[in-house]
Amino acid sequence: MMESVTFFPFLQSRIRPIGSVRSTRSILQWPSRFAWVNVCLFFSLLTSHLPAHGQNINRQMAHQLLAQLTKSKADTGRVRILFELGKYQLFKPGNVPEDLNRSLAYLNQAKQLSDSLHLLAWQHEIDAVRVANYLEGANSKEAYALFDQLIADCRRTGDRASEANARFRLGFCISFTTKKYPEIFDNYNQAIAIYRSLHNQKQELLILHEIAGLHTNLGQLGLAEKEFQTILKRYKAIGYPKLHYTYNWLSTISRLKGDFNKSLFYSLQCIESMNRTGDTLSAASFYGNLAQMYFELGRYRQSNEWYRKTLAKWRQEGLPNFGMYSAANIIVRDLIDQHRPQEALKLINDLVTQIPTINFIQKGSVAQSFAYSYDALKNDKLAEKYYLDAMMWYMKANHDFEMSRKAQLEVGRFYVERNQFKKGNFYVRPLLVDSTKKNSLSLLKDIHFILFKIDSALGDYKSAIAHFRVHKSLNDSIFNETKNNQFDQLEVQYETQKNRQNIVLLEKQKTVQDGELKQTRIVRNGILGGSILLLCLLALSYNRYRLKRRSNQLLEIKQHEINRKNQTLETLLSEQQQLLTEKEWMLKEIHHRVKNNLQIITSLLHSQGVFLKDEAAQSAIRESQNRVHAMALIHQKLYQSDRLAAIPMAGYIDEIVDYLIKSFDREGIIHKRINVAPLELDVTLAVPLGLILNEAVTNSLKYAFKDGKPGIICVKLTAQKNHYLLVISDDGTGLPADFNPQMSQTLGMSLMHGLSKQIGGSLQIRQNDDKGVEVRLEFSEEAVGKEQITTL
């Protein structure tokens, strides 16, 4: 996440600009394109520090993961999504505390879920990234405490791969934060030893790749180049496809060593490998490196084209990034050199409006672009403001890199160009302090040239001559004849290679064209032969046509007869459908009227019961009402349903039980537990079952819960393998000791036995083991059919 910007002074001393030997007059002009080399090199160094292993996801991927997160279950997949989102917030460009907080929140959620699922490897992986989060947020104490705890747990559980990964992540994070190189190399070497013992070449090469990158940053270019060459060979040996990250480092090292031929070769290999594998996450960085290469070769048009591709890629990502603003800075200078300052100003305004800056270094780069634009537009007031702002932002960033001194030099140049020599001297002369360590030859040359101008204007000619001599010496060192010959030779080689590629392309095109001509001749001959064959076919077809016409006339007659019969069938089907509809309506109406008649009977029974004083008679009347209601409910279900012969049992049973509890005034005292499978049974089954259920529940309500005692009535109907099971039970007082259900001659028991026999079922009434009574009825639809046949 944090843009760790570090200037490496040894690199600047190796710059070898490309171009023809300029005249003395052109050399003495104010720095223009060659002053950009400092910016270009710095930008290239930043883009070279990308890790060669699994890159962080981009914004589009993060949005996809967020969409997946809302639908994910609490499993390994959700842990992975949270982990990737945590890494994305941690490593995306820009030093924003909110990103660190969001990252830690995702990682903590992932850790909590992995702990609950006992995913040991994921626990260790997440803790390793949490260590990086703490270091990024300058919480070193928490970071190292968690790291020590993580290593101890890895060793306790024997998870050596996770220990190696944790050490690698720690070293990589330190390289961008505290930069304690002995600690970095110690963790890297311990991780390498573990990966070698595990025979994990890919991870071993990954860490060796980072070590070689560190050697490059520390100025050990020869050692780093040998390391990257070895890594490249080993990658090819194991078939690792993503070689572009290694090619990019080799290109940067070769350029810094002055071997532009190899540098250009590796840069082009890098782009080719990226396109071949489709791994374009770092495309902006690779394009920037190639743009830098063209720039140093003096091919400014191609350089600007690639920088525009770089800027487009960064803008596509949509995140504030120093590389994006640096590329824009270079494009702005190029537009100004083309006398298009208004276009340059619009470009940087649009960019900042679309993607605002978030840290000091980014603000400094943008301020420089504004300063260049207003300077070219002759708006001295705004130009001065932005030059000073750029210097201030770079100083606030507190990074010792050359761009801050470059900004300070440009402030001095601005004042000198306006004959404010004392102000210019105030900003430029301090840049010579410790200049051999902090300034490149190119920048040092420009400093001495501006001091020559200042001292000449202030009358200190002796000092002016001394500065001019140093400037001339440095200029000659950079633009000597040998180097220019090397540059010219490289341009010839480049053009030759390009021409060879064009020749190969032309040869391929010629081969394709020859094939097309051959194909054309084959097609022509085929057309001639086809024409002759076509004439024969036409003659044959005419004869067939006459025969077919005669056949068609016969077929038309038959088709007419078929259509007439079809129309008759359609009429019959329509009439049949109408009859079926009317029949269905009549059946529903019958069921409706039967239900109404049964309700009238229920009402009559109720009216009769009002005048009865004997409790037994009233009970008999009420039970008869309940039986009639159970049958009426069947007919109600039938005329309310689309099916006229099947009853949905779940609702039917639930309504019967509710009605009975209410009729006995036991609401709130007796509770029901209904567990009925989603079954639809024929009327021939539903009516007996409803009456049996009515009798069983009535008995429970009358005898099981005396003196207002609360209780539970359970009804369960399930479909077994080849039959159905109805169980009605209660938790009441149970059966009397001298009561035998099989011998009972009461109306209710007689009805239950008779109805069970009617549907061919097996009825059992027994005392539960603990308390209460259970009525168990097993029956099947086949048995009902057989019983009906027997009855007939």
Side-chain angles (χ1 to χ4, degrees), residues 35-53:
W36 298 11
V37 175
N38 300 314
V39 179
C40 298
L41 177 62
F42 178 69
F43 169 73
S44 178
L45 286 171
L46 284 176
T47 58
S48 298
H49 295 160
L50 297 167
H53 60 293

Side-chain angles (χ1 to χ4, degrees), residues 241-249 270 273-274 277 279 286:
K242 297 182 180 181
L243 304 177
H244 29 286
Y245 300 102
T246 308
Y247 281 132
N248 193 54
W249 274 106
C270 170
S273 173
M274 178 192 72
T277 59
D279 177 25
F286 300 149

Side-chain angles (χ1 to χ4, degrees), residues 33 264 268 287-310 330-331 334 338 491 494-495 498:
R33 283 192 181 270
L264 182 58
L268 294 174
Y287 292 162
N289 197 36
L290 185 56
Q292 170 66 12
M293 178 59 54
Y294 279 121
F295 183 89
E296 295 189 18
L297 285 169
R299 305 175 71 86
Y300 302 121
R301 182 179 60 81
Q302 293 96 323
S303 173
N304 190 258
E305 289 175 0
W306 283 102
Y307 271 124
R308 287 183 180 275
K309 288 184 178 181
T310 301
I330 294 166
I331 295 170
D334 183 71
Q338 298 176 38
E491 288 181 351
Y494 174 79
E495 292 297 333
K498 186 176 179 181

Side-chain angles (χ1 to χ4, degrees), residues 359-577:
N359 62 28
F360 296 147
I361 298 174
Q362 296 170 7
K363 293 179 185 295
S365 180
V366 168
Q368 279 184 303
S369 297
F370 278 121
Y372 300 150
S373 302
Y374 285 118
D375 197 349
L377 291 169
K378 308 301 181 184
N379 189 333
D380 290 356
K381 186 175 180 180
L382 284 178
E384 178 183 18
K385 173 188 179 302
Y386 282 111
Y387 276 127
L388 292 172
D389 284 351
M391 184 179 69
M392 175 197 68
W393 288 125
Y394 284 134
M395 287 180 176
K396 282 188 176 183
N398 198 27
H399 285 284
D400 186 22
F401 61 98
E402 189 163 3
M403 289 197 69
S404 61
R405 293 185 291 281
K406 176 71 167 57
Q408 186 172 335
L409 176 65
E410 290 192 341
V411 172
R413 176 191 59 78
F414 174 80
Y415 286 123
V416 169
E417 285 182 343
R418 284 150 185 77
N419 297 325
Q420 300 180 39
F421 297 106
K422 289 185 178 180
K423 281 188 177 182
N425 186 60
F426 175 79
Y427 288 103
V428 176
R429 200 166 300 274
L431 294 173
L432 287 179
V433 177
D434 201 19
S435 60
T436 57
K437 294 182 179 179
K438 293 188 176 181
N439 298 318
S440 67
L441 294 180
S442 178
L443 184 62
L444 195 59
K445 168 181 69 68
D446 294 338
I447 292 171
H448 281 289
F449 182 69
I450 294 177
L451 288 174
F452 156 70
K453 285 283 189 179
I454 292 172
D455 288 344
S456 297
L458 296 177
D460 191 350
Y461 300 110
K462 183 177 180 181
S463 176
I465 293 171
H467 285 304
F468 183 77
R469 285 176 177 172
V470 176
H471 162 77
K472 189 67 170 63
S473 174
L474 293 173
N475 193 75
D476 292 343
S477 174
I478 296 174
F479 299 105
N480 62 51
E481 188 67 29
T482 302
K483 291 179 181 178
N484 280 281
N485 289 337
Q486 178 187 5
F487 305 154
D488 294 339
Q489 182 182 2
L490 181 59
E491 288 181 351
V492 171
Q493 290 175 352
Y494 174 79
E495 292 297 333
T496 302
Q497 182 182 5
K498 186 176 179 181
N499 290 334
R500 286 175 181 171
Q501 292 175 347
N502 291 335
I503 290 170
V504 171
L505 181 61
L506 289 172
E507 288 177 351
K508 289 182 179 178
Q509 290 176 347
K510 182 178 181 298
T511 303
V512 172
Q513 289 174 352
D514 290 342
E516 290 176 350
L517 288 173
K518 184 177 180 181
Q519 186 69 24
T520 302
R521 284 194 292 270
I522 293 172
V523 171
R524 183 191 61 190
N525 295 334
I527 291 173
L528 290 175
S531 300
I532 296 171
L533 180 62
L534 181 61
L535 290 174
C536 296
L537 289 174
L538 285 173
L540 181 62
S541 298
Y542 179 71
N543 185 48
R544 292 284 183 185
Y545 166 73
R546 294 180 63 190
L547 295 173
K548 188 174 181 181
R549 184 177 178 185
R550 187 179 304 168
S551 299
N552 285 341
Q553 289 174 348
L554 295 174
L555 288 174
E556 285 178 0
I557 295 171
K558 292 181 179 180
Q559 185 65 44
H560 179 73
E561 182 65 21
I562 291 170
N563 290 341
R564 185 181 63 78
K565 292 180 178 179
N566 285 340
Q567 187 174 2
T568 303
L569 286 173
E570 287 178 0
T571 304
L572 291 174
L573 287 172
S574 176
E575 292 174 354
Q576 184 180 18
Q577 183 62 40

